[in-house]
Amino acid sequence: MIKTNPLLLPTLMLGVFALLSMELGMMGVLPIVAEVYNVSVADAGWVVSIFALIVALVAPILPPLLTKYDAKQVLLTCLLVFSVSSFLAAFCTNFIVLLILRAIPAFFHPIFCAFAFSMAADSVPHNESPKAIAKIFIAVSAGMTLGVPLTSFIASNTSLEVSFIFFGALNALSLLATLAFIPSQKQEQKAAQKEQFKVLAKPIVWVSVIVVMLLNGAMFGFYSYMSEFLLNFTQVSFNLISALLLIYGLSNVIGNFIAGKSLVSAPNATLRIVPLSLIALYVALFFGGGNAWGASVILIILGIFAGVGNNMAQFVVTSPIPEAKELANGLFISAANIGITLGTSLCGLFISLNGSRFVVLAAVCLVVLSIIFLMLRGQILKDK
């Protein structure tokens, strides 16, 4: 355990919230980006895509390379990059330069998240680490739930430049909090870099990575097209869709609280119950999602299980290799981003072939595959 204080976890949560708001907040202002920089909306989408692509590529590599450095200094460096790049973006008039200013912090994103997960886990006894990590996931959910509408509100009521200044200020605030409340963490006890990379030879690592890709693909693939599903199949208004998206996100937060307890007290049961529950809820949406009240109730419950599922995915990768926390968290971040791309593509294909209703069946296919690999993972652990 590292030396800690009551404000360590809230400070890490603030940093993750600031980062996720900066990364995902741009989703809500793509039409404004297109207008300001005189590009198509499809081209404007690169301000989001380039970020996710870089994160997926570098997440397994960069975090373990920095384990020999003081974790506090690593976090401060990341936050400085996030803040400065956002402030510079506020004064950027060239779209290519804007993409560069989005690409640079993307390299530091998995470093910050991996170290935040590791520091949270190290701040409590080992058997309590899922509870601490669940709090970091609350910040992830908050960044996803509030970051997009908050950025959209700021940009639409003021300007795109002000939204960038907001990102910069939020990360600067997190930097000051980190400076004040995060203790320095010497790295002598961390596994050497070569030792961390040795775990890549273990089959359990790659099976676990595939589980995360499939599970995240299902949850975020459906989430990406939830508005499409509600608009064209449930046939509700945009105002109700916005409300349901917010409620779904808040349900995610509840799921994070539940996951912190369930992964400590009954991890194996959680790994069995969550995927089966997701399948049941997606099937329920397929048959009952045409009714607004029915869809609303199902989405609230689905949001809770998806929140647990997010935590479960991180647990699946990190729990078999506690000796390589930073590498494990990097693999999780990478697999999660690849899974989002996979899930979005498959769900989009199902919609184009069959219509909006069938997006949930694409999610079901991915969860079924994740169960198969979870069973394989369990067998590998038994044979150890």
Side-chain angles (χ1 to χ4, degrees), residues 286-369:
F286 183 80
F287 290 106
N291 176 272
W293 283 106
S296 300
V297 172
I298 295 169
L299 286 174
I300 291 171
I301 301 171
L302 179 62
I304 294 173
F305 277 97
V308 179
N310 289 335
N311 287 258
M312 187 186 102
Q314 194 267 353
F315 177 85
V316 163
V317 175
T318 58
S319 59
I321 46 173
E323 70 275 21
K325 287 191 181 77
E326 286 78 16
L327 176 61
N329 284 315
L331 286 170
F332 161 69
I333 295 165
S334 181
N337 278 272
I338 294 171
I340 291 171
T341 303
L342 169 69
T344 303
S345 300
L346 184 63
C347 289
L349 178 63
F350 269 57
I351 290 173
S352 64
L353 293 176
N354 302 292
S356 301
R357 181 185 187 184
F358 287 81
V359 65
V360 292
L361 295 189
V364 167
C365 292
L366 290 169
V367 179
V368 169
L369 288 173

Side-chain angles (χ1 to χ4, degrees), residues 150-271:
L150 189 57
T151 305
S152 179
F153 176 81
I154 292 172
S156 60
N157 286 277
T158 55
S159 67
L160 183 64
E161 291 80 7
V162 174
S163 66
F164 284 124
I165 292 172
F166 167 71
F167 296 148
L170 196 58
N171 280 286
L173 177 63
S174 179
L175 187 150
L176 293 175
T178 300
L179 194 61
F181 303 123
I182 299 290
S184 293
Q185 183 183 0
K186 294 181 179 180
Q187 303 292 295
E188 294 92 335
Q189 295 180 349
K190 297 287 184 184
Q193 290 170 7
K194 289 183 179 179
E195 293 299 317
Q196 287 218 31
F197 283 113
K198 280 183 180 179
V199 303
L200 295 176
K202 297 182 178 182
I204 186 69
V205 172
W206 297 107
V207 172
S208 299
V209 164
I210 293 172
V211 170
V212 173
M213 290 169 57
L214 294 168
L215 198 59
N216 263 53
M219 294 186 296
F220 286 96
F222 169 72
Y223 179 69
S224 297
Y225 293 103
M226 189 188 298
S227 296
E228 172 82 7
F229 178 87
L230 291 169
L231 181 66
N232 293 308
F233 181 56
T234 313
Q235 297 186 339
V236 297
S237 68
F238 280 108
N239 287 336
L240 183 54
I241 289 172
S242 298
L244 287 173
L245 287 170
L246 178 60
I247 291 170
Y248 181 88
L250 295 175
S251 298
N252 261 234
V253 174
I254 295 172
N256 291 324
F257 279 109
I258 295 172
K261 296 180 179 179
S262 66
L263 288 171
V264 169
S265 59
N268 292 330
T270 303
L271 265 59

